[in-house]
Amino acid sequence: MKKIIFIFLMASGSLFAQKKQKMSVLIDQQFHFAAEQYGVLKHNIASGEMPRTFNPATGKVVTSDTKWWCSGFYPGSLLYIYEYTKNPDIKAEAEKRLAILEKEKHYLGNHDLGFMMYCSFGNAYRLFHKAEDKATIDTSAMSLATRYRPSIESIQSWDSNELLKCPVIIDNMMNLEMLCWVSDNGGDKRFKEIAINHANTTLKTHFRADNSSYHLVDYDLKTGQIIKKITWQGLADSSAWARGQGWGLYGYTMMYRFTKDKNYLNQARKIAAFLINHPNLPADKIPYWDYNAPNTPTQYRDASAGALIASALLELGQYTGAKEKKLYVNTAETMLRSLASDKYRAKLGENGGFLLLHSVGHMPNKTEIDVPLTYADYYYLEALLRYKKWYL
Ligand code: GLY
């Protein structure tokens, strides 16, 4: 009899342990943790710098200057944390970092202005409505638009070099948000036209029959012809680099928000189907850094891709019927629960002060492998806020 009671108690105990935490509680815990953890991170960065990653071998946070493509994510994450917690120290730190970033509105060196200036100043303006922040975004859009190339109807991602003539990468879809926003908010209407042309060209040239995308398409600027389709950060030219697929999913969902063009919505749905149904997506739904990485010596997960895809799926669920919405929200929820677990989320005071572990920056370069990254934290916080806003 004692044995039966013991087995019953064990079984009910494990059932109890399996009961899922409410998402409202999980989100609340994650934001209060984030405010404390970013209080640690801010002490690990000199005043003119931005955090980039953490090197466990040295125990030091690796930083960047404000020209690095990720310079907007740290202020953006601080603003998301402030939005939820209203913590004044977090707001003060965000303002301090925005002040050093502002000069980059004139940066012309690559296509990353959207990441840099819209994830930062876009959120600042959304929260505080300061005219000077809007002016910064407007100028940044003007700078980004200088990279538009009419002969290929796209924005040139990087300058030409000995290997590439006019490279356009799938990541570039993300920078279109700033252009659309500026046009829709009293700015030059040409910016949105540029964004639409770019999205249409990418739709035609970057995608494969299975709806995965090439990372990079290189063009001849004189003829407008494609020279080659390759990867820069993926496992192989033909593989599905996870973060690249995420940029495409997020990008077409966002372009549908601004245009209501069904082609964009359908492209986002096709990318989502590719990502969700892929046999190599693990049970916890955090992808390998490349969907073709399993069974290679480099089969690391990429938490940044997981966070980004979760955030995009939550928006996509806003634009589809109930059945698809359920699939997208359930998948995103699994991703967020995984990221919030001990497997992916750092402990207070560890990880240099970053929130998430296990992202991959640039595998072919052998840099930033299985480390925290600012953009993983940013899209994680964004996804949690989106879940709260739309699905609680
Ligand atoms: N946009 C660069 C990257 O995703 O690593």
Side-chain angles (χ1 to χ4, degrees):
M1 185 62 185
K2 266 190 192 159
K3 199 173 167 193
I4 292 171
I5 294 172
F6 177 71
I7 290 169
F8 173 77
L9 285 176
M10 289 298 287
S12 59
S14 73
L15 278 180
F16 183 72
Q18 277 168 16
K19 201 170 160 229
K20 281 185 183 164
Q21 187 181 37
K22 277 189 175 166
M23 279 304 280
S24 58
V25 176
L26 181 147
I27 292 166
D28 197 58
Q29 284 177 354
Q30 294 309 304
F31 274 98
H32 285 106
F33 168 78
E36 279 196 83
Q37 183 78 337
Y38 268 44
V40 174
L41 180 58
K42 81 173 179 191
H43 293 299
N44 289 333
I45 323 157
S47 56
E49 299 172 345
M50 295 291 186
R52 182 170 163 172
T53 183
F54 175 65
N55 183 343
T58 61
K60 291 218 158 60
V61 166
V62 180
T63 56
S64 73
D65 63 17
T66 49
K67 286 193 171 27
W68 179 236
W69 75 275
C70 303
S71 58
F73 293 121
Y74 177 55
S77 292
L78 289 162
L79 291 165
Y80 282 148
I81 298 168
Y82 173 74
E83 184 173 357
Y84 189 95
T85 62
K86 300 290 181 282
N87 180 317
D89 295 338
I90 291 287
K91 183 180 179 198
E93 174 68 358
E95 283 169 345
K96 193 170 131 192
R97 302 294 162 173
L98 287 170
I100 64 163
L101 181 60
E102 190 257 353
K103 61 184 179 300
E104 304 305 348
K105 64 189 177 191
H106 300 300
Y107 183 63
L108 303 176
N110 61 43
H111 69 150
D112 287 319
L113 261 287
F115 284 118
M116 292 156 66
M117 307 308 281
Y118 193 70
C119 296
S120 51
F121 286 94
N123 279 309
Y125 184 72
R126 185 175 61 77
L127 294 176
F128 309 125
H129 307 291
K130 285 191 193 158
E132 62 264 34
D133 288 344
K134 185 164 188 301
T136 298
I137 302 167
D138 289 351
T139 305
S140 304
M142 219 178 301
S143 300
L144 176 56
T146 64
R147 298 189 67 85
Y148 182 68
R149 308 288 178 246
S151 64
I152 59 165
E153 298 196 308
S154 287
I155 294 165
Q156 180 167 357
S157 296
W158 308 323
D159 292 345
S160 61
N161 57 39
E162 60 283 3
L163 298 174
L164 303 166
K165 296 265 188 274
C166 175
V168 178
I169 58 174
I170 188 71
D171 322 29
N172 209 333
M173 286 299 301
M174 300 295 284
N175 296 308
L176 308 182
E177 185 168 6
M178 178 167 73
L179 297 177
C180 290
W181 186 87
V182 169
S183 291
D184 280 6
N185 287 275
D188 191 336
K189 296 283 177 236
R190 200 175 53 96
F191 297 154
K192 193 167 180 179
E193 283 166 26
I194 287 174
I196 289 171
N197 288 351
H198 183 101
N200 290 342
T201 303
T202 298
L203 197 63
K204 275 192 277 191
T205 57
H206 266 76
F207 289 91
R208 309 181 180 115
D210 65 359
N211 300 308
S212 67
S213 75
Y214 287 93
H215 183 201
L216 187 155
V217 178
D218 194 25
Y219 297 89
D220 181 323
L221 268 183
K222 281 203 195 87
T223 63
Q225 296 301 304
I226 291 170
I227 300 169
K228 57 189 170 197
K229 299 187 183 192
I230 59 169
T231 196
W232 208 251
Q233 279 166 261
L235 184 69
D237 292 344
S238 59
S239 73
W241 174 50
R243 199 162 53 253
Q245 312 313 304
W247 296 141
L249 174 69
Y250 194 118
Y252 281 100
T253 306
M254 173 276 296
M255 283 304 292
Y256 177 71
R257 182 201 323 148
F258 280 104
T259 62
K260 297 295 167 225
D261 182 335
K262 283 273 169 19
N263 288 325
Y264 299 154
L265 178 63
N266 286 334
Q267 190 61 32
R269 292 166 68 214
K270 288 188 215 168
I271 301 168
F274 173 85
L275 294 176
I276 293 171
N277 300 328
H278 200 289
N280 288 346
L281 183 65
D284 71 2
K285 312 281 186 215
I286 304 304
Y288 294 98
W289 70 277
D290 188 302
Y291 270 70
N292 301 91
N295 308 317
T296 72
T298 64
Q299 57 173 4
Y300 295 95
R301 303 297 187 87
D302 183 7
S304 77
L308 160 70
I309 292 168
S311 187
L313 288 175
L314 291 173
E315 179 169 12
L316 187 56
Q318 291 292 293
Y319 308 137
T320 60
K323 202 169 150 210
E324 259 180 274
K325 176 191 200 157
K326 194 164 171 226
L327 174 68
Y328 300 151
V329 178
N330 285 347
T331 306
E333 186 177 321
T334 304
M335 290 171 150
L336 292 176
R337 287 185 183 281
S338 299
L339 293 173
S341 74
D342 288 350
K343 183 170 173 193
Y344 293 96
R345 217 222 51 206
K347 297 211 166 33
L348 185 62
E350 296 180 0
N351 207 29
F354 289 92
L355 307 180
L356 295 179
L357 304 148
H358 304 311
S359 290
V360 172
H362 200 319
M363 182 65 80
N365 256 3
K366 299 190 173 54
T367 52
E368 298 179 339
I369 297 168
D370 201 23
V371 291
L373 291 167
T374 43
Y375 41 101
D377 286 7
Y378 176 87
Y379 289 105
Y380 177 54
L381 294 166
E382 180 181 88
L384 291 169
L385 280 180
R386 285 179 164 190
Y387 194 103
K388 174 176 178 277
K389 182 165 65 165
W390 292 324
Y391 302 109
L392 276 188

